Amino acid sequence: MSRFFRRDESSDSESDYSSSSSDDFSDEETQKKKQTTSGAGASRIARAGLDSDDSEEEVKRTVKSTKDKLADQVTELSRETLRAIRADEWHLAASSFDQLNKVVPKLIKTVSAANLPRSYVRSLAALEDALYENQKDKAALSKLSATDSRGYNQLKQRVRKHNKDFESLIAEFRANPTESNDEEEAASAESEDESSDDDQAVPSTRTAAAAAVPSASKGKTTAAAASDLESDDSYWDSDSDESSSSSDSDDDGEVGIARWLKKTPTKEDTSVKKAKKDRAQRSQRAAAAQAAAAAEGDDDDDGFTAVGKDGKAVEAPKYNERNLNEHLLALIASRGRKNTNKLESIKSLETLLGVGVNALQKAKVLLALVSAQFDSAPSSGYLPIEMWHRAQSRLNELLSLLEANRQITIFETGDSHDYEEDFEYKNATITLRGSIIASIDRLDDEFTKSLRNIDPHTPEYVERMRDTVSLYLTIVRAQCYFEHRNLNDSLCRVVFRRLEHLYYRTDQVNLHVESAAAALPRTSESYVVPASTAGNMEAIIHSLCTFLYLNADTLLRSRAMLMHVFNHALHKRYYVARDLLLMSHIQENVHQADVDTQVLYNRAIAQLGLAAFRLGKTQESFEHLVELMSVGHHRELLSQGVGQLRMHQLSPNEEQLQRQRQLPFHININLELLECVFLTSSMLLEIPFMASANINPDARRAPISRAFRRLLDYNERQIFIGPPENTRDHIMAAAKSLAAGEWEDARDYIQSIRIWSLLPDSEEITSMLASKIQVEALRTYLFTYATQFESVGLADLATMFDLPKGKVYALLARMVYHSEVQASLDEVGGVLVFSRASHDASSRLQQTALALSNKANTFADINERVFELKINGGQTPGDRQQGGERGDRNQGDREGRPAQSRRDGGGRDGRDNRDGQRGNQNRRDGGGGGQGGGHRGGRSGRRGGNAGGGSSQRRNDNN
């Protein structure tokens, strides 16, 4: 008979016995209670308190030292860690491990590390083994919950580092784990009393079972789990019997109301509850072990069979060529469902691929397999690199299959072919529904995502960049396939993908990639890229772009045009790129295009500016870059990240979109180089224009480059300016030197900028800049001192700026022709004669004097207004006059004079007439400055008297 039935019978017999005995002795107990309580007169609560005190005195109490308490705590936490490992509850194991790390250092202060409890060493060894075994089993790790996965990762990072301090103890335990268990049991028996020994018999039994079976290993057999469960049940059976008998004996000792009052939980009651909880956990672990063994397909299952949700036995599917189509359709239908295991689907498809017997079945399975591998990508992030390589290999396998079987064609509008007779296929012409170009696009996009998310300054980025060649070869193979099948739409898309991998690179790099593509086996010659273009990258890119111009839609044509412009500008073919851009008229409608096209347009414009600068066309370079660089977010316009200031202005959704549009690091244009080119071009144009303010008043109001003028003004306002440190400081220092006529210093500042070394022809650029600085320094000198000289010799200018005399003559002739200076060239005398009739001021001193005079007059007018306000008591003369008129209408003068007598003086009272007379007197003294004082009277007279004399005196002083 089962032990459960035996337990119920024993409990029933005990309850019958207790009830009968209580009936027999109920009278005696009643008499005893009456005798005890009648003399004292105590209440029921007092009697209950007395009984509870007596029961508490009967409980045995043990006093433990701090060392023993810490040892018990370490032992209990170690056992909890072992239980959590066996149940795959890694979050509990992590929390127990953290608690152990807090308690063990306290225990080490009282005992040495060699005397730590064996259960602690056993838990450390079990953690190492479990982490090592689970690291091999990727499928088991994928089935863990989020909290367990987090706990597992935390333990994996901490355990190895933590166990270095206990390597000797762990090695000793691994050498003789059984002896270690016995030693622990003996030590616990000596240190604890009988009750504590009974409580700790369970963990010792469990740890002995754990020593026999590898800890937390996923590959343990069901028999081991069953034996472990049986040993635990046998223990808990005996322990529950003992606890039940002890509880019955305790209840027999209690009498009266004390039996029904709330009791203080004892240690034995706690152990019983804990036993029930551990028993449930044991049963769950045993069920999990059985399910794992059934999933792994172990033959030695001890009669256990895996069952499904409905209780029926689950059998592993059997694949063959006849039911391949049925299983394939089921797997395809399960895509996208909530509870679908993507990794299991991939394994099933790989199994089906091995079962296929002909090209048709393999092609259908490969199409589904490539799509399933892309489905395994996370929602945020990128496809793992290992999975990306698998998808690429399967896609290459599919292309090889289609190249070998020309009768099979795959495109978007093909037939589904869901027939079960596919195993009887006999190489007939057939079309399948699928999209190879979609797989190519997804493969390329996942590659770009990975580059976008990997730190570009790490070796992982360089390692990832090595896959560029293999991806390019896959694209070329797909292009050949679409050419042979005459699939024009897919061909345009794959040609555009190929162009995307070529346009931003130099010809030297592209030739290495094209040499690898030329080695691919081809059945026929390509008409998109003819064989005559081999070795000429300009011709290859031109062929790809021309094909897109003729066959692609509007979007692809526009992008191909911009890529073509970028490539021409990259290789210093500025005029070809400029003419191609102007003829396309893209700049007229680019503001209506999508974001990616606008980014590509900005990149093409930026590269055009760099190309013009490399040819010495500073004016054209500035015109190309001014619109892009004048705004404060050129980084976003080029899709190369978000600036620090703009980061706080964007919403989270906008910031996420900006990061998704960000280009990989190796495609970016160097922003520091772009800024250096823009500021250098602005300096060469703005400094001569600022110097021409002496003869051109518009130069003050309308700067050529507001961004450069703003930086220059800010630099001039600085109190202390140290030596230049960055690129911007070098250009500002060069601009100041150029404005002062020190062209040698300006040349040295510009040539000392290190960013020029990034350009392929850096030496030519530095020499070009030196020549440009000499010419602009000469123009600045003429603009600055044109009002100081009547003539200047050409030989002197050539010597001063180290230029050939012929070049100086050509420059002066051009300036005179464009009316930049009002002068004439005397070829016989070799001088430049300036004309003074073109401007009013002949010297800088006169211009300064006129400016001072204007400011003095403005100050005098302000002073007069303030004086008027002071005299009128804070009112303007108009308000005072209006107030006087209202007073005239209401009442007369205080002295009795009518209002008309006040109007005769022109004001509110007689003081206005006196002011007018005073103004006439001042006019006579000052020379006619206050003529309107006596005629207008009132306010006008006051102005004539107060301001007229002073104004006249100032005129006399000026004269």
PDB file of all heavy atoms in Angstrom, residues 49 104 111 144 233 292 299 418 516 678 868 885 918 954:
ATOM      1  N   GLY A  49      -3.210  32.706  29.768  1.00  0.00           N
ATOM      2  CA  GLY A  49      -1.832  33.198  29.831  1.00  0.00           C
ATOM      3  C   GLY A  49      -0.963  32.303  30.668  1.00  0.00           C
ATOM      4  O   GLY A  49       0.197  32.066  30.369  1.00  0.00           O
ATOM      5  N   VAL A 104      29.726  35.801   3.972  1.00  0.00           N
ATOM      6  CA  VAL A 104      30.994  35.061   4.039  1.00  0.00           C
ATOM      7  C   VAL A 104      32.138  35.932   4.551  1.00  0.00           C
ATOM      8  O   VAL A 104      32.945  35.477   5.377  1.00  0.00           O
ATOM      9  CB  VAL A 104      31.309  34.436   2.659  1.00  0.00           C
ATOM     10  CG1 VAL A 104      32.739  33.903   2.632  1.00  0.00           C
ATOM     11  CG2 VAL A 104      30.330  33.317   2.353  1.00  0.00           C
ATOM     12  N   VAL A 111      36.603  32.812  11.456  1.00  0.00           N
ATOM     13  CA  VAL A 111      37.312  31.565  11.131  1.00  0.00           C
ATOM     14  C   VAL A 111      38.147  31.802   9.891  1.00  0.00           C
ATOM     15  O   VAL A 111      37.934  32.747   9.140  1.00  0.00           O
ATOM     16  CB  VAL A 111      36.309  30.408  10.895  1.00  0.00           C
ATOM     17  CG1 VAL A 111      35.500  30.129  12.132  1.00  0.00           C
ATOM     18  CG2 VAL A 111      35.408  30.714   9.720  1.00  0.00           C
ATOM     19  N   LEU A 144      14.950  30.532 -21.403  1.00  0.00           N
ATOM     20  CA  LEU A 144      14.865  31.162 -20.091  1.00  0.00           C
ATOM     21  C   LEU A 144      14.015  32.427 -20.162  1.00  0.00           C
ATOM     22  O   LEU A 144      13.948  33.102 -21.195  1.00  0.00           O
ATOM     23  CB  LEU A 144      16.263  31.504 -19.571  1.00  0.00           C
ATOM     24  CG  LEU A 144      17.200  30.332 -19.263  1.00  0.00           C
ATOM     25  CD1 LEU A 144      18.557  30.856 -18.839  1.00  0.00           C
ATOM     26  CD2 LEU A 144      16.624  29.433 -18.173  1.00  0.00           C
ATOM     27  N   ASP A 233      11.486  12.461  -1.331  1.00  0.00           N
ATOM     28  CA  ASP A 233      10.165  12.101  -0.833  1.00  0.00           C
ATOM     29  C   ASP A 233      10.267  11.149   0.356  1.00  0.00           C
ATOM     30  O   ASP A 233       9.496  11.231   1.308  1.00  0.00           O
ATOM     31  CB  ASP A 233       9.346  11.449  -1.951  1.00  0.00           C
ATOM     32  CG  ASP A 233       8.929  12.470  -3.000  1.00  0.00           C
ATOM     33  OD1 ASP A 233       8.997  13.676  -2.672  1.00  0.00           O
ATOM     34  OD2 ASP A 233       8.573  12.073  -4.114  1.00  0.00           O
ATOM     35  N   ALA A 292      12.663  17.992 -20.478  1.00  0.00           N
ATOM     36  CA  ALA A 292      13.929  18.231 -21.171  1.00  0.00           C
ATOM     37  C   ALA A 292      14.471  16.950 -21.786  1.00  0.00           C
ATOM     38  O   ALA A 292      14.976  16.939 -22.911  1.00  0.00           O
ATOM     39  CB  ALA A 292      14.951  18.822 -20.192  1.00  0.00           C
ATOM     40  N   ASP A 299      16.834   8.005 -25.597  1.00  0.00           N
ATOM     41  CA  ASP A 299      16.196   6.693 -25.694  1.00  0.00           C
ATOM     42  C   ASP A 299      15.937   6.095 -24.317  1.00  0.00           C
ATOM     43  O   ASP A 299      14.955   5.393 -24.095  1.00  0.00           O
ATOM     44  CB  ASP A 299      17.086   5.744 -26.515  1.00  0.00           C
ATOM     45  CG  ASP A 299      17.221   6.228 -27.947  1.00  0.00           C
ATOM     46  OD1 ASP A 299      16.291   6.951 -28.410  1.00  0.00           O
ATOM     47  OD2 ASP A 299      18.238   5.934 -28.577  1.00  0.00           O
ATOM     48  N   ASP A 418       2.109  24.677 -54.812  1.00  0.00           N
ATOM     49  CA  ASP A 418       1.927  24.004 -53.535  1.00  0.00           C
ATOM     50  C   ASP A 418       1.528  22.542 -53.715  1.00  0.00           C
ATOM     51  O   ASP A 418       0.895  21.947 -52.849  1.00  0.00           O
ATOM     52  CB  ASP A 418       0.842  24.729 -52.719  1.00  0.00           C
ATOM     53  CG  ASP A 418       1.246  26.164 -52.429  1.00  0.00           C
ATOM     54  OD1 ASP A 418       2.457  26.425 -52.417  1.00  0.00           O
ATOM     55  OD2 ASP A 418       0.346  27.004 -52.221  1.00  0.00           O
ATOM     56  N   ALA A 516      37.921  41.055 -58.036  1.00  0.00           N
ATOM     57  CA  ALA A 516      37.302  39.861 -57.441  1.00  0.00           C
ATOM     58  C   ALA A 516      35.994  39.521 -58.146  1.00  0.00           C
ATOM     59  O   ALA A 516      35.665  38.344 -58.335  1.00  0.00           O
ATOM     60  CB  ALA A 516      37.061  40.090 -55.953  1.00  0.00           C
ATOM     61  N   PHE A 678      35.710  75.767 -46.109  1.00  0.00           N
ATOM     62  CA  PHE A 678      34.741  76.869 -46.144  1.00  0.00           C
ATOM     63  C   PHE A 678      35.314  78.131 -45.511  1.00  0.00           C
ATOM     64  O   PHE A 678      35.195  79.240 -46.073  1.00  0.00           O
ATOM     65  CB  PHE A 678      33.465  76.441 -45.422  1.00  0.00           C
ATOM     66  CG  PHE A 678      32.494  77.550 -45.198  1.00  0.00           C
ATOM     67  CD1 PHE A 678      31.808  78.112 -46.257  1.00  0.00           C
ATOM     68  CD2 PHE A 678      32.287  78.054 -43.913  1.00  0.00           C
ATOM     69  CE1 PHE A 678      30.913  79.158 -46.048  1.00  0.00           C
ATOM     70  CE2 PHE A 678      31.388  79.089 -43.703  1.00  0.00           C
ATOM     71  CZ  PHE A 678      30.713  79.640 -44.770  1.00  0.00           C
ATOM     72  N   GLU A 868      14.979 119.863 -21.968  1.00  0.00           N
ATOM     73  CA  GLU A 868      13.586 120.256 -22.074  1.00  0.00           C
ATOM     74  C   GLU A 868      12.717 119.500 -21.077  1.00  0.00           C
ATOM     75  O   GLU A 868      11.818 120.072 -20.437  1.00  0.00           O
ATOM     76  CB  GLU A 868      13.075 120.024 -23.492  1.00  0.00           C
ATOM     77  CG  GLU A 868      13.663 120.988 -24.504  1.00  0.00           C
ATOM     78  CD  GLU A 868      13.219 120.640 -25.918  1.00  0.00           C
ATOM     79  OE1 GLU A 868      12.504 119.625 -26.055  1.00  0.00           O
ATOM     80  OE2 GLU A 868      13.587 121.363 -26.850  1.00  0.00           O
ATOM     81  N   GLU A 885      -3.885 125.031 -22.718  1.00  0.00           N
ATOM     82  CA  GLU A 885      -5.102 125.365 -23.449  1.00  0.00           C
ATOM     83  C   GLU A 885      -6.338 124.912 -22.695  1.00  0.00           C
ATOM     84  O   GLU A 885      -7.361 125.593 -22.670  1.00  0.00           O
ATOM     85  CB  GLU A 885      -5.054 124.739 -24.829  1.00  0.00           C
ATOM     86  CG  GLU A 885      -3.991 125.364 -25.723  1.00  0.00           C
ATOM     87  CD  GLU A 885      -3.893 124.668 -27.061  1.00  0.00           C
ATOM     88  OE1 GLU A 885      -4.609 123.646 -27.217  1.00  0.00           O
ATOM     89  OE2 GLU A 885      -3.128 125.123 -27.934  1.00  0.00           O
ATOM     90  N   ARG A 918      14.731 135.824 -24.295  1.00  0.00           N
ATOM     91  CA  ARG A 918      16.064 135.320 -23.957  1.00  0.00           C
ATOM     92  C   ARG A 918      16.685 134.600 -25.150  1.00  0.00           C
ATOM     93  O   ARG A 918      17.871 134.653 -25.388  1.00  0.00           O
ATOM     94  CB  ARG A 918      15.979 134.390 -22.750  1.00  0.00           C
ATOM     95  CG  ARG A 918      17.345 134.099 -22.136  1.00  0.00           C
ATOM     96  CD  ARG A 918      17.199 133.150 -20.945  1.00  0.00           C
ATOM     97  NE  ARG A 918      16.347 133.742 -19.910  1.00  0.00           N
ATOM     98  CZ  ARG A 918      15.156 133.274 -19.598  1.00  0.00           C
ATOM     99  NH1 ARG A 918      14.657 132.216 -20.224  1.00  0.00           N
ATOM    100  NH2 ARG A 918      14.435 133.868 -18.642  1.00  0.00           N
ATOM    101  N   ARG A 954      29.047 126.105 -31.431  1.00  0.00           N
ATOM    102  CA  ARG A 954      29.729 124.921 -31.986  1.00  0.00           C
ATOM    103  C   ARG A 954      30.092 125.135 -33.447  1.00  0.00           C
ATOM    104  O   ARG A 954      31.148 124.733 -33.902  1.00  0.00           O
ATOM    105  CB  ARG A 954      28.824 123.688 -31.830  1.00  0.00           C
ATOM    106  CG  ARG A 954      28.750 123.155 -30.419  1.00  0.00           C
ATOM    107  CD  ARG A 954      28.138 121.754 -30.415  1.00  0.00           C
ATOM    108  NE  ARG A 954      26.788 121.779 -30.961  1.00  0.00           N
ATOM    109  CZ  ARG A 954      25.692 122.026 -30.229  1.00  0.00           C
ATOM    110  NH1 ARG A 954      25.810 122.288 -28.938  1.00  0.00           N
ATOM    111  NH2 ARG A 954      24.497 122.024 -30.806  1.00  0.00           N
TER     112      ARG A 954
END
